């Protein structure tokens, strides 16, 4: 049972000490994923190969040799839109159904070099553009806390795999909340790194050939324990993690903590989500942080500004992404556009048309909105953090995002601003659905948001296995 609740670093230490074998750890998680196969979290597995790799780690330990890197023998999962050798690499597109990757992405190689064992690849929203992870290639992913509900997107398979207890950690991608939304819905930790820290240009789709020039797109860790986030980030990051900062150097006493009011959501925030956010703020105040609840009205206009920024960073209309991937409207795109789970795709198409629909004064106004947002957020946060839920309510029923395109704005704005953000689970509502909050900080302050996540995990408990959740 301890394996289910342990962090990846704890498991790695136990394997090195001979307290448990890598095979036992990998077998535990494989069995857990197989038992939860109805979730459709892992869409292509390498379980047999993973067990062979675990045996190799155990053999090295038995021979008195080094088992490998800091994650030697620890299993993980990877979002399917990120290349993993021998695994499908479709991003949910029918035209890529037969594509199998012949090499690992750099981030995946770094995890393997650290000794991690990949169990398989996980489901994603179509073209990674959606709050729900469903597509015509792999099907629909379900939430481990209520299978009638969404797991989030676009890294929804990762959220479900980790949230179910089937994986200690995973690798996701985030261009508009795609790590943090599934982490929120599935009750796990997720970190969107500062721009340029982790290379992301090998994923599908990619907005830039040079990740250091892009503020929107990044890869990052998702985990059931906050203590894994910084070790994983250091492994994934360029420059051997020297830019990641030191979590232990963060003093919460006196830290500025901004809790926005009247911000980015059109409708009232769900009470359980609001109460969890406020409780997080109070817990930081209890250790001496300078916590301020204040109106942040410029955040209300984030969606239009984000769409313009998405188009700007893509360097081409989002519809051209389909052309670049040999996707044809008659074959796949029209059903995607019509489905409720493709709201972000439809919003991106609207973003394509903004330049032609708006006269220049209107485009200038959107640019001004973006500047106002940047000034408001950075002016308030400084070297501190902001607490803001990525979404206004816990996981909705499948198709529950229909006609609510503003939902992801509370997450997407931090991509637009290039901020470091950690999603932190804060317990459950009366139905047993996870609630949580984003901790956002200025670029380069990843260690600050993760330090706050450590504190909040110690207070609220962090991830809880679905079978241990009490429901009203």
């Amino acid at each position: 049972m301890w394996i289910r609740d342990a962090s990846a670093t704890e498991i790695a230490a136990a394997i090195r000490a001979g307290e448990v074998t890598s095979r036992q750890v990998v077998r535990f998680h494989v069995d857990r994923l197989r038992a939860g196969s109805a979730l459709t979290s892992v869409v292509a597995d390498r379980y047999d190969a993973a067990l062979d790799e675990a045996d190799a780690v155990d053999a090295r330990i038995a021979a008195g040799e080094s088992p490998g890197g800091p994650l030697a023998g620890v299993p993980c999962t990877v979002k399917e839109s990120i290349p993993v050798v021998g695994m499908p690499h479709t991003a949910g597109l029918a035209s890529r159904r037969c594509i199998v990757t012949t090499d690992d992405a750099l981030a995946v190689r770094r995890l393997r070099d650290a000794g991690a064992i990949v169990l398989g690849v996980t489901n994603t929203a179509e073209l990674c553009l959606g709050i729900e992870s469903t597509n015509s290639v792999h099907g629909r992913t379900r939430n481990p806390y209520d299978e009638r509900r969404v797991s989030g997107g676009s890294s929804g398979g990762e959220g479900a795999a980790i949230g179910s207890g089937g994986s200690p950690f995973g690798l996701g991608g985030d261009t508009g909340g795609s790590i943090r939304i599934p982490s929120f819905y599935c009750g796990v930790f997720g970190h969107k790194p500062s721009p340029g820290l982790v290379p992301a240009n090998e994923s599908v789709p990619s907005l830039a050939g040079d990740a250091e020039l892009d503020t929107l797109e990044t890869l990052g860790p998702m985990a059931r324990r906050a203590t894994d986030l910084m070790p994983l980030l250091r492994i994934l990051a360029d420059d051997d993690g020297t830019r990641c900062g030191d979590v232990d150097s963060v003093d919460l006493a006196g830290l500025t903590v901004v809790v926005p009011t009247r911000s980015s959501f059109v409708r009232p925030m769900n009470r359980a989500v609001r109460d969890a956010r406020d409780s997080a703020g109070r817990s930081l105040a209890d250790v001496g942080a300078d916590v301020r609840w204040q109106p942040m009205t410029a955040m209300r206009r984030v969606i239009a500004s984000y769409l313009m920024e998405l188009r700007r960073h893509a360097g081409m209309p989002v519809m051209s992404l389909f052309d670049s991937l040999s996707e044809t409207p008659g074959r796949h795109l029209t059903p995607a556009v019509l489905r409720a789970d493709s709201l972000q795709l439809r919003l991106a198409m609207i973003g394509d048309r903004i330049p032609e629909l708006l006269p220049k004064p209107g485009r200038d106004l959107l640019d001004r909105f973006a500047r106002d947002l940047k000034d408001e957020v950075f002016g308030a946060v400084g070297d501190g953090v902001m607490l803001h839920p990525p979404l206004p309510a816990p996981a909705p029923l499948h198709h529950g995002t229909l006609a609510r395109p503003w939902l992801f704005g509370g997450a997407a704005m931090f991509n637009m601003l290039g901020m470091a953000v950690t999603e932190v689970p804060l317990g459950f509502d009366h139905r047993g659905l996870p609630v949580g909050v984003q901790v956002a900080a200025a670029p380069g302050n990843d260690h600050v948001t993760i330090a706050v996540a450590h504190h909040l995990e110690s207070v609220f408990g962090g991830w809880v296995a679905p079978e241990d959740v009490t429901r009203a």
Side-chain angles (χ1 to χ4, degrees):
M1 180 65 74
W2 73 269
I3 295 175
R4 185 200 68 178
D5 297 313
S7 68
T9 50
E10 289 171 335
I11 291 171
I15 291 172
R16 287 194 299 271
E19 298 169 2
V20 68
T21 65
S22 176
R23 169 170 271 271
Q24 288 172 323
V25 172
V26 170
R27 170 59 66 189
F28 174 87
H29 288 94
V30 166
D31 289 347
R32 187 98 179 173
L33 290 170
R34 282 177 168 156
S37 61
L39 298 178
T40 317
S41 58
V42 172
V43 293
D45 70 73
R46 52 186 311 279
Y47 297 153
D48 290 340
L51 288 166
D52 289 342
E53 291 168 16
D55 289 340
V57 172
D58 294 333
R60 289 195 295 272
I61 293 174
E65 302 172 1
S66 169
L71 295 174
V74 181
C76 68
T77 43
V78 177
K79 184 178 183 180
E80 195 258 22
S81 60
I82 303 167
V84 175
V85 65
M87 293 283 99
H89 186 217
T90 71
L93 293 177
S95 62
R96 297 177 59 87
R97 186 185 297 272
C98 297
I99 292 180
V100 174
T101 311
T102 57
D103 200 4
D104 288 331
L106 178 56
V108 175
R109 288 202 300 276
R110 288 173 176 170
L111 290 175
R112 287 191 195 270
D113 288 345
I117 296 173
V118 179
L119 297 176
V121 293
T122 54
N123 206 22
T124 178
E126 196 167 75
L127 195 60
C128 298
L129 290 168
I131 296 174
E132 300 194 27
S133 289
T134 182
N135 57 73
S136 60
V137 179
H138 300 304
R140 179 181 300 281
T141 300
R142 295 165 177 82
N143 192 297
Y145 294 90
D146 184 343
E147 293 186 17
R148 301 170 302 167
R149 297 179 182 272
V150 305
S151 66
S154 62
S155 307
E158 277 303 309
I162 300 167
S164 70
S167 180
F169 75 93
L171 181 63
D174 195 313
T175 304
S178 292
I179 286 174
R180 291 156 288 143
I181 291 171
S183 296
F184 173 76
Y185 282 160
C186 296
V188 302
F189 293 88
H191 183 72
K192 184 199 86 64
S194 297
L197 198 58
V198 179
N201 57 301
E202 297 163 289
S203 58
V204 173
S206 178
L207 299 184
D210 184 347
E212 291 189 356
L213 299 178
D214 184 67
T215 60
L216 292 180
E217 179 182 35
T218 187
L219 304 183
M222 299 169 66
R224 61 190 177 208
R225 296 299 172 206
T227 50
D228 283 333
L229 294 177
M230 184 53 77
L232 290 170
L233 186 59
R234 290 188 183 282
I235 290 167
L236 294 169
D238 288 334
D239 302 330
D240 296 322
T242 55
R243 291 182 290 155
C244 293
D246 181 6
V247 172
D248 292 335
S249 70
V250 179
D251 186 357
L252 298 183
L255 182 73
T256 297
V257 178
V258 177
V259 183
T261 61
R262 291 185 284 168
S263 59
S264 63
F265 299 131
V266 174
R267 65 184 179 84
M269 191 181 299
N270 172 276
R271 177 176 293 182
V273 173
R274 182 197 64 207
D275 290 349
R277 176 205 64 183
D278 292 346
S279 294
R282 288 192 294 271
S283 78
L284 289 163
D286 289 343
V287 294
D290 178 14
V291 184
R292 311 165 186 171
W293 278 259
Q294 64 184 74
M296 304 284 283
T297 55
M299 292 166 65
R300 293 180 177 180
R301 307 186 186 107
V302 66
I303 289 295
S305 299
Y306 173 78
L307 292 177
M308 285 290 286
E309 193 74 2
L310 179 64
R311 189 182 195 278
R312 183 179 295 120
H313 281 262
M316 59 182 173
V318 72
M319 297 296 285
S320 299
L321 289 172
F322 286 91
D323 295 335
S324 69
L325 296 168
S326 301
E327 191 62 77
T328 57
R331 182 176 183 180
H332 187 57
L333 178 57
T334 300
V337 174
L338 292 177
R339 282 209 304 268
D341 19 297
S342 296
L343 278 174
Q344 280 182 267
L345 173 58
R346 284 190 277 167
L347 281 168
M349 294 166 62
I350 294 170
D352 285 349
R353 299 198 62 198
I354 284 176
E356 65 187 58
L357 291 175
L358 290 179
K360 188 177 185 303
R363 298 196 297 274
D364 290 343
L365 183 63
L366 288 180
D367 287 336
R368 196 194 81 192
F369 288 165
R371 289 193 300 272
D372 290 347
L373 176 64
K374 184 175 182 179
D375 291 344
E376 180 180 73
V377 171
F378 287 119
V381 172
D383 288 329
V385 300
M386 174 181 288
L387 302 183
H388 192 48
L391 296 145
L397 297 170
H398 294 295
H399 302 296
T401 59
L402 179 63
R404 295 153 73 185
W406 62 84
L407 284 177
F408 75 109
M413 66 179 171
F414 295 121
N415 296 80
M416 185 173 68
L417 295 170
M419 299 178 76
V421 195
T422 305
E423 170 60 32
V424 180
L426 297 174
F428 302 86
D429 71 1
H430 68 282
R431 298 166 295 181
L433 299 176
V435 295
V437 74
Q438 296 172 111
V439 183
N445 280 350
D446 300 73
H447 61 299
V448 179
T449 69
I450 292 174
V452 173
H454 285 195
H455 166 75
L456 294 177
E457 182 178 36
S458 71
V459 174
F460 295 92
W463 174 76
V464 177
E467 62 267 31
D468 291 348
V469 175
T470 301
R471 295 168 174 82

